[in-house]
Amino acid sequence: MLTLAFVTLLYLCLAGVGVYLMKHVFAKMNHAPYPPGPRGLPLVGNIQDIPHVKPWLTFAEWGKKYGDISHINVLGLHIFVLNSVKTAVAMLDKKSSIYSDRPVVPMSGELMGYAQTLAYLRYGERFRLFRKNCHRIFGSRSALVVYHPIEEMETRRFLKCVLAKPDRLQAHIRHTAGAIILRICYGYEVKEDNDPLVDVAERALDQFSRYGITGDFMVDFLPSLAMLPEWFPGAGFKRLARECRETVEEMAAAPYKFVKDQMAAGTALKSFSSDLLKGRTVTAEEDHVVKWSAASLFSGGADTTVSAIYSFFLAMTLFPDVQKKAQAEIDAVVGPDRLPSFTDRPSLPYIEALAKEVLRWNVVIPSIDHCTTEDDIHDGYYIPKGSLIIPNIWFMLNDPETYANPSEFNPERFLAKDGKEPETDPRTVCFGFGRRLCTGLHLADASIWISTVMSLAVFDVSKVVENGVEITPEIDPSSGLISHPKPFKCSIEARSDKALALIQQDTS
């Protein structure tokens, strides 16, 4: 059995090397050069240069050394890293018709099941239907007004939870994000604790964070390894992928069944799914598209806003002067007798700037993959069909030529002052580019803003003091598709008796 296994593995490896050599030979036939980049090894190329920990930092170093576009080759796969907004816009926005595909990712996409979600979907008709559905419901700020009461109510409940158990801040943020996205996507109202649909989302996100990073498994570079059976030596990734796929399928199916059951009973609340299903008979394809459109929003929204809001609390812990300025604006505009609402947003420019700085300062999605569907020549460089294009969003939002002192948390950079224009709005970069622009960007923006303004209205956030020593949190974001701040301690207390009364208002 081991002999057969060895022969099979050898065959698969030789097949992979053969594909690489053929690609290498054909690549030599083009007349334009590749962009500069790290020098690779024979046959395997730059496989040793792929960064697995905080890759955006390595990508930024390549940018300093090689320019706005750098290139590596891993087993025949061409990878291009973009380190400037100008280059990303020129390629991914202006030539979006050929730069909007996604690469096939064998582990997280095909084996774990995420290939059915919008983030992994190949560019084509189904992709366009997904985006059309999302744009119809969430395509503008004005379209989201109908969901503002849900966001405000769930954020009020969040304030109560934080007041009761401030040491469980991250769990409260995650629960609230899940509650908002489940209510908006499916009309589902979560239970206070241990909600089954929130739990399955958290399980899926935990599995994705551990096993979903592209390149962590050799199958991402040698897709033929996916044909190996689970019992095959070294094929343990197949078992992990199967377990993850079961969770992903449950995450998509359980809430979708709920909303369809509610519609059949005539008790469904207004939601993304019910709006797309009501009043018509859907085909099997349309049913699949609605189901996985909702699952895409659910899985994405349940984690990205968590990172941003947790980053906000980290910033308030580290930068008390910013917190005081923001609270002074809220006190002047809103007053102490009510909580802020979305109707106050146009009157709170400093809060608006603070929410922007949260998105810039601790980048939620440091980079995101695009793939080319045709050969291209860009700035004299050859970009082959099927290449992986990675815009380094982290560096674009930390580029000192765009943002003064980028490591500093400074909301005032986004306010016009003394004749100086505001710095570039990070929302033009942090949500991606071209036809891969995040479909839930307006929902994420609204969730971050309302959580920021309500929390500042009633809470003072500060460093924890233990045994007479003030504990300063570390700024150390995690690696992964979605980057989170390192867990930290902070003190969260009601600002006043009036603030306490506002938090304790009935939210039933």
Side-chain angles (χ1 to χ4, degrees), residues 44 50 97 122 178 195 224 239 253 384 460 464 479:
V44 296
I50 293 288
S97 62
R122 302 295 304 274
D195 185 274
S224 53
R239 176 185 56 79
D460 280 325
V464 166
S479 291

Side-chain angles (χ1 to χ4, degrees), residues 117 185-186 248 251-253 272 290-300:
T117 64
C185 284
Y186 304 101
V248 171
M251 181 185 68
F272 172 85
V290 175
K291 173 184 174 179
W292 285 98
S293 295
S296 299
L297 289 167
F298 179 29
S299 60

Side-chain angles (χ1 to χ4, degrees), residues 340-353:
S341 70
F342 281 107
T343 58
D344 298 306
R345 190 166 186 175
S347 305
L348 297 168
Y350 191 83
I351 301 299
E352 190 75 14

Side-chain angles (χ1 to χ4, degrees), residues 305-318:
T305 54
V306 173
S307 173
I309 294 168
Y310 198 44
S311 297
F312 156 73
F313 278 94
L314 174 61
M316 294 305 93
T317 304
L318 294 171

Side-chain angles (χ1 to χ4, degrees), residues 372-391:
T372 55
T373 53
E374 296 179 15
D375 289 353
D376 186 34
I377 302 293
H378 186 82
D379 279 351
Y381 293 126
Y382 177 56
I383 315 291
K385 176 181 177 179
S387 296
L388 189 64
I389 314 297
I390 306 177

Side-chain angles (χ1 to χ4, degrees), residues 339-484:
L339 284 170
S341 70
F342 281 107
T343 58
D344 298 306
R345 190 166 186 175
S347 305
L348 297 168
Y350 191 83
I351 301 299
E352 190 75 14
L354 194 159
K356 291 179 185 178
E357 183 68 338
V358 167
L359 290 170
R360 187 206 66 81
W361 177 68
N362 206 13
V363 183
V364 174
I365 301 179
S367 63
I368 191 162
D369 299 346
H370 289 236
C371 192
T372 55
T373 53
E374 296 179 15
D375 289 353
D376 186 34
I377 302 293
H378 186 82
D379 279 351
Y381 293 126
Y382 177 56
I383 315 291
K385 176 181 177 179
S387 296
L388 189 64
I389 314 297
I390 306 177
N392 187 3
I393 293 173
W394 177 87
F395 179 73
M396 295 175 194
L397 294 175
N398 283 272
D399 185 348
E401 293 188 8
T402 306
Y403 300 101
N405 302 314
S407 61
E408 179 185 348
F409 188 90
N410 177 24
E412 293 186 22
R413 69 174 75 246
F414 300 116
L415 299 172
K417 188 176 181 181
D418 300 329
K420 186 179 179 181
E421 289 296 309
E423 295 179 1
T424 303
D425 188 337
R427 293 174 299 189
T428 62
V429 175
C430 69
F431 292 112
F433 297 93
R435 300 177 192 182
R436 287 290 176 179
L437 187 71
C438 173
T439 54
L441 67 93
H442 296 296
L443 179 60
D445 177 60
S447 297
I448 294 163
W449 187 87
I450 197 65
S451 182
T452 294
V453 73
M454 280 194 177
S455 297
L456 285 168
V458 296
F459 289 135
D460 280 325
V461 184
S462 59
K463 296 178 182 178
V464 166
V465 176
E466 294 182 348
N467 301 319
V469 178
E470 191 175 66
I471 307 299
T472 300
E474 185 179 359
I475 302 173
D476 186 21
S478 65
S479 291
L481 177 62
I482 297 173
S483 179
H484 289 265

